[in-house]
Amino acid sequence: MKESVSDVILVGYSGHAYVVADILIQNGVKIKGYLDKAKKDINPFKLEYLGVDDTWMDDFAPCGFIVAIGDNNIRGKIYDSFKKKLIQLINVIHSSSVISNTVIIGSGLMIMPNVVVNSFARIGDGVILNSNCTVEHECLIGNYVHIAPGAVLAGNVTVGDYTFIGAGAVVKQGVRIGKNVVIGAGCVVLNDVEDNQVVIGNPGRLMK
C-alpha cells in the first residue's frame, strides 16, 4: 500500500521504528529522515536526522509523518500535538495483512506483517496492530492502543484508549476492556476489565 505523500518522516527511531521503516521501504515509500530527541548512533537504514520531536519546518509540509513509537502514552501525546498543527499522519500497512473492506480505520496506524482484521471492526487513531495479531469481527479498538504480536481478540471485543494487549494474549468474545489497561503476555481474558487495571495469567486475574 503506497501513501499519497512525496516522502515520509519517522517520529522516533529505534526498535519499533525499524519495523515501520522496513514496511515503508517494501511499500516503495521514500523515507526523508527521522525526528528524535538526539541523533542516533545506531542507524541501520542510514536515515537523515532531522531534529527533535517537536521540530516543524515549512519544507517538511509535503511529507507525511508516522509516530513510530511503541509506548502508547508518548505516541498519543506526540500524535495529538501533530494533529493540532494539521500535520499529515499516515498509515503504514504491511502487504501481508488481511483487512476486511468493511473495517473503519483511523490515521497514524501501524499494521505489521500477517495481521488479520475482520468484518466491521473499528480501529482508532495511532494504533499498533503488531505482527500476527487477530482482531475479529465487530471489535472496537480505541486510540493509541497496542495489540502485541500473536494476540487474539475474538468477536465484539472493545478495547479502550491507551490499552496494551500483551503478546499471545487471548480475549474472549464480547469482553469490554477499559482505558489504560495492561493485559500481560499470554493472558486469557474471560471477563470485562475496568480502566487502569493490570491483568495477568490464565484465566486472567487482576494484579494486586
Side-chain angles (χ1 to χ4, degrees), residues 27-204:
N27 288 350
V29 178
K30 182 181 177 183
I31 303 173
K32 183 177 181 67
Y34 69 95
L35 302 174
D36 213 316
K37 293 178 180 178
K39 186 175 182 179
K40 297 289 188 177
D41 294 329
I42 300 173
N43 186 359
F45 290 99
K46 310 302 181 187
L47 300 181
E48 181 181 356
Y49 178 57
L50 301 173
V52 297
D53 290 346
D54 59 358
T55 297
W56 178 247
M57 296 163 46
D58 289 340
D59 60 355
F60 289 171
C63 296
F65 287 74
I66 183 69
V67 185
I69 296 172
D71 184 284
N72 291 345
N73 291 305
I74 296 173
R75 187 171 69 260
K77 182 178 180 181
I78 295 172
Y79 180 101
D80 286 342
S81 173
F82 276 34
K83 193 172 182 179
K84 288 176 183 177
K85 297 174 184 178
L86 303 179
I87 295 171
Q88 184 177 2
L89 291 148
I90 68 161
N91 294 328
V92 177
I93 301 174
H94 195 273
S95 59
S96 67
S97 61
V98 178
I99 303 171
S100 167
N101 290 333
T102 63
V103 171
I104 297 174
I105 62 174
S107 61
L109 271 67
M110 288 156 278
I111 301 181
M112 305 310 192
N114 300 311
V115 168
V116 175
V117 185
N118 274 326
S119 301
F120 302 106
R122 297 174 65 98
I123 313 294
D125 295 330
V127 170
I128 298 171
L129 300 181
N130 223 319
S131 304
N132 295 294
C133 75
T134 299
V135 177
E136 266 299 342
H137 61 88
E138 301 167 279
C139 285
L140 303 178
I141 309 299
N143 298 326
Y144 318 124
V145 169
H146 186 164
I147 310 295
V152 176
L153 277 57
N156 289 288
V157 168
T158 299
V159 180
D161 298 347
Y162 295 98
T163 284
F164 176 80
I165 308 290
V170 176
V171 183
K172 181 185 174 184
Q173 65 270 18
V175 165
R176 300 179 63 86
I177 297 174
K179 299 178 181 179
N180 280 317
V181 170
V182 174
I183 304 296
C187 183
V188 177
V189 183
L190 302 177
N191 300 299
D192 292 355
V193 181
E194 296 182 359
D195 296 349
N196 306 308
Q197 301 295 325
V198 177
V199 181
I200 59 172
N202 180 7

